[in-house]
Amino acid sequence: MSLMPMDKMMDAANEKDIQERERRIDADKRVKNIGVDFPVSAFPVRMQEFINGYCDVYGSSPDHYGLTLLTVAGAVIGNACWVEERNNTHPPLLYSIIVDYSSAGKSPIMKTCLSPIWKIEKEMRHKHADLLRSLKDQDDDSKDKMPPPKEMILGDFTIESVYQSLYANPRGVLVFRHELNGWLGSMGRYNSGSEEEFYLETWDGSTQKISRKKSPIPIFIDRPFIPILGGTQPDVIQKFANGSKMGNGFLARFLVSWPEVSLKADHHNKCPDPSHMEYWEGIIRKLRGLPVDQKDAEDEFSDFTVNPHFISLDTKAQAAYTKFFNRNAELIRKSDDETERSIRGKFESYLLRIALILEMIEWVDGFKSAPTLDDVYMLKISETSVKNAERLVNYFEHTALKVVNRVANPAEALPADQHNWYKNLPNDRIFTRAEALRLAKRAGVKPRTMARLLSNEKLFIRKGQGLYETKWLIYDTEK
């Protein structure tokens, strides 16, 4: 009985390995979405109809609508209501990034979801203009004490104007930029580092003491409420991790909508059902009408005060949250990656914030007008809201780790066909150029493109003539 030579045994094993990798490539090419699907069914039924209705018409991603709607609703609730759990408080404040390619429709989606806020702010502007006109016509000193305008959205601004707006709007204001790259680029323009620290600290509503050059008297901003919403492209997501942003928790504070597949739809003559926007505007107006326990500053020597109504979890909701918290704590204990631990830690608060937003959207929909303070006192967060928030958190956990991988791993930035090819290359042994070519053909990667990639020292280690080793491991996120 003759034995097969060792080199032939290895060739046979490698051949079997390559056949299995070819099978995986074919399977991956048949999968429409290799990541985690956005859980539209986690939203109240009428909001599901809104999301699906607009997606059906414009072919947009439900991921983007979902995150934008949550962020806007939380911004409108503002300092009216927070969550309280074990004496810890959590504002309905979200830092949100809409990630997609140019021309994917990010701005129209955000514009649609923000339209009721713009309408309300325009109404407030008209009222403020009437007030200024009446003061201007008076002969006394009242015209020298003209109040600042009420705002709900900040667009082009400096950090000093953010302070002023928060001081004039204790309920909170939403930072909105179509492209958040400009907002990031402006950080540190006047005072290096202080602006980034401001957003790190205000994420949980921590009181801010602001010292200003033009005034010897510092101002105190009690419970600063300043959520963030804007878009960016996959190719520039790196900016959210530049400098100390990866290590100091800045990146970990952002929720990300980032669909695995983004295809521009053809034009047609359908329009969204007007009832969807009527519903959404009704929700926003009722949330805006929630009572807020606040007292404006009397003059430049005093500060405003604002005291949210704290909403607790009912018994079943508390049990569901405890179960989530303990599972999450176990994942944090097992992880040896500081960024991953930071991200998972933030979701303990984000689950409660999202649960509050979902609960209040569903709750106010049952009122003909804004609920009263007595109604608010009766409200508790339900088990359903906690479990639906957990489903959304699972999606946002996936996209957050996807951002981290994109930032740290250059292979994650490859186009879909090249990414599929790289993922299925042997990562536990040296492979030959012939093996790589065979897998490239299967994945639809041209030989010339493959040759260029193999010569990229950021992706591969050349081990000899025609021999290579991958530098990075791509995790298969299909669950």
Side-chain angles (χ1 to χ4, degrees):
M1 178 178 176
S2 61
L3 296 176
M4 182 181 294
M6 182 62 69
D7 57 344
K8 290 187 177 181
M9 290 178 64
M10 293 181 64
D11 289 344
N14 289 349
E15 174 64 22
K16 187 176 181 181
D17 175 57
I18 290 297
Q19 288 177 356
E20 172 60 20
R21 293 176 188 280
E22 287 179 327
R23 185 196 65 76
R24 289 211 304 262
I25 286 177
D26 290 340
D28 284 347
K29 289 166 71 175
R30 290 194 295 269
V31 175
K32 181 179 180 182
N33 188 338
I34 300 175
V36 175
D37 289 332
F38 187 79
V40 176
S41 59
F43 288 83
V45 172
R46 293 188 69 187
M47 186 165 283
Q48 293 178 41
E49 294 171 354
F50 177 101
I51 295 171
N52 291 329
Y54 273 85
C55 288
D56 288 344
V57 170
Y58 297 116
S60 309
S61 166
D63 313 44
H64 300 334
Y65 278 107
L67 180 55
T68 304
L69 291 168
L70 286 172
T71 308
V72 171
V76 176
I77 296 168
N79 275 326
C81 297
W82 288 25
V83 184
E84 184 174 32
E85 197 274 331
R86 292 192 302 171
N87 294 326
N88 293 317
T89 58
H90 307 263
L93 178 154
L94 311 183
Y95 286 1
S96 305
I97 314 175
I98 310 301
V99 181
D100 216 325
Y101 297 97
S102 298
S103 303
K106 301 187 296 294
S107 291
I109 289 171
M110 292 185 284
K111 179 181 177 182
T112 295
C113 298
L114 284 165
S115 60
I117 291 187
W118 286 119
K119 186 180 291 187
I120 294 172
E121 184 160 305
K122 188 175 182 179
E123 294 167 1
M124 294 192 303
R125 181 176 174 82
H126 287 162
K127 290 181 180 179
H128 185 257
D130 291 340
L131 175 61
L132 295 185
R133 291 188 190 100
S134 66
L135 293 175
K136 189 177 181 179
D137 293 337
Q138 296 178 15
D139 295 328
D140 56 26
D141 295 335
S142 60
K143 62 183 178 181
D144 295 326
K145 300 178 181 179
M146 292 185 176
K150 295 296 181 182
E151 297 180 287
M152 298 177 71
I153 299 180
L154 287 177
D156 188 13
F157 53 86
T158 63
I159 190 63
E160 181 67 24
S161 65
V162 172
Y163 302 152
Q164 294 171 357
S165 183
L166 286 173
Y167 201 70
N169 299 274
R171 184 165 183 157
V173 288
L174 170 68
V175 165
F176 169 64
R177 297 288 291 268
H178 288 283
E179 296 291 339
L180 283 175
N181 299 327
W183 170 67
L184 287 177
S186 67
M187 280 191 180
R189 184 170 46 185
Y190 302 108
N191 190 352
S192 179
S194 64
E195 191 168 349
E196 187 174 314
E197 290 296 325
F198 173 78
Y199 289 106
L200 285 169
E201 294 171 2
T202 56
W203 180 80
D204 62 0
S206 299
T207 299
Q208 297 293 300
K209 177 183 176 182
I210 311 298
S211 298
R212 298 173 296 174
K213 292 182 179 179
K214 297 181 180 179
S215 173
I217 303 173
I219 62 172
F220 283 83
I221 301 178
D222 189 26
R223 304 185 191 278
F225 190 96
I226 184 160
I228 300 167
L229 173 65
T232 194
Q233 294 81 41
D235 291 343
V236 294
I237 196 70
Q238 172 73 44
K239 291 185 178 181
F240 288 84
N242 285 348
S244 61
K245 293 182 179 65
M246 178 80 88
N248 66 9
F250 184 84
L251 178 63
R253 282 164 168 75
F254 279 88
L255 298 179
V256 179
S257 69
W258 190 351
E260 298 292 333
V261 178
S262 182
L263 300 175
K264 192 171 182 66
D266 292 333
H267 182 272
H268 53 73
N269 293 323
K270 292 192 298 183
C271 292
D273 189 322
S275 65
H276 297 322
M277 183 52 69
E278 291 172 5
Y279 155 76
W280 177 234
E281 183 175 340
I283 293 294
I284 292 300
R285 288 189 178 276
K286 291 171 190 175
L287 291 176
R288 180 66 182 178
L290 288 168
V292 183
D293 180 7
Q294 72 177 51
K295 181 181 180 182
D296 293 336
E298 296 178 0
D299 51 39
E300 65 271 24
F301 304 109
S302 61
D303 301 303
F304 71 81
T305 58
V306 58
N307 297 296
H309 307 296
F310 294 111
I311 312 299
S312 60
L313 283 65
D314 68 23
T315 303
K316 290 183 177 179
Q318 184 65 63
Y321 178 70
T322 299
K323 191 174 180 180
F324 162 81
F325 188 99
N326 291 342
R327 283 200 306 267
N328 194 57
E330 180 64 19
L331 291 172
I332 292 174
R333 287 193 294 267
K334 288 182 177 179
S335 176
D336 58 359
D337 184 277
E338 183 59 37
T339 301
E340 180 183 350
R341 290 198 296 266
S342 178
I343 289 171
R344 293 190 186 280
K346 298 297 181 291
F347 283 127
E348 293 166 2
S349 178
Y350 263 138
L351 186 143
L352 294 171
R353 299 176 190 213
I354 294 172
L356 174 64
I357 295 169
L358 293 175
E359 187 73 37
M360 299 204 76
I361 290 172
E362 180 81 11
W363 180 64
V364 299
D365 192 31
F367 290 84
K368 290 185 178 180
S369 58
T372 65
L373 187 57
D374 288 338
D375 295 321
V376 175
Y377 286 145
M378 299 295 292
L379 180 63
K380 284 186 178 292
I381 297 174
S382 67
E383 178 187 26
T384 298
S385 293
V386 169
K387 289 187 173 181
N388 283 332
E390 183 176 359
R391 295 171 60 200
L392 288 161
V393 160
N394 289 339
Y395 168 85
F396 292 127
E397 175 186 273
H398 166 76
T399 55
L401 295 177
K402 180 179 176 181
V403 169
V404 172
N405 287 339
R406 180 66 175 255
V407 169
N409 184 347
E412 291 287 355
L414 293 171
D417 56 347
Q418 297 172 29
H419 183 276
N420 191 12
W421 167 70
Y422 191 95
K423 182 182 73 174
N424 285 288
L425 287 169
N427 54 56
D428 54 354
R429 63 174 176 84
I430 295 172
F431 58 89
T432 66
R433 186 184 184 89
E435 290 174 324
L437 179 59
R438 183 168 163 179
L439 293 173
K441 288 180 179 179
R442 182 73 64 165
V445 177
K446 295 180 180 179
R448 180 178 295 180
T449 301
M450 184 208 73
R452 174 176 56 80
L453 291 171
L454 286 175
S455 65
N456 188 335
E457 294 181 355
K458 292 182 179 180
L459 298 172
F460 296 97
I461 302 171
R462 190 180 183 200
K463 306 299 287 188
Q465 185 66 34
L467 300 175
Y468 301 89
E469 189 174 78
T470 56
K471 272 192 172 183
W472 301 93
L473 179 64
I474 295 181
Y475 295 96
D476 193 340
T477 56
E478 186 179 358
K479 302 288 184 185

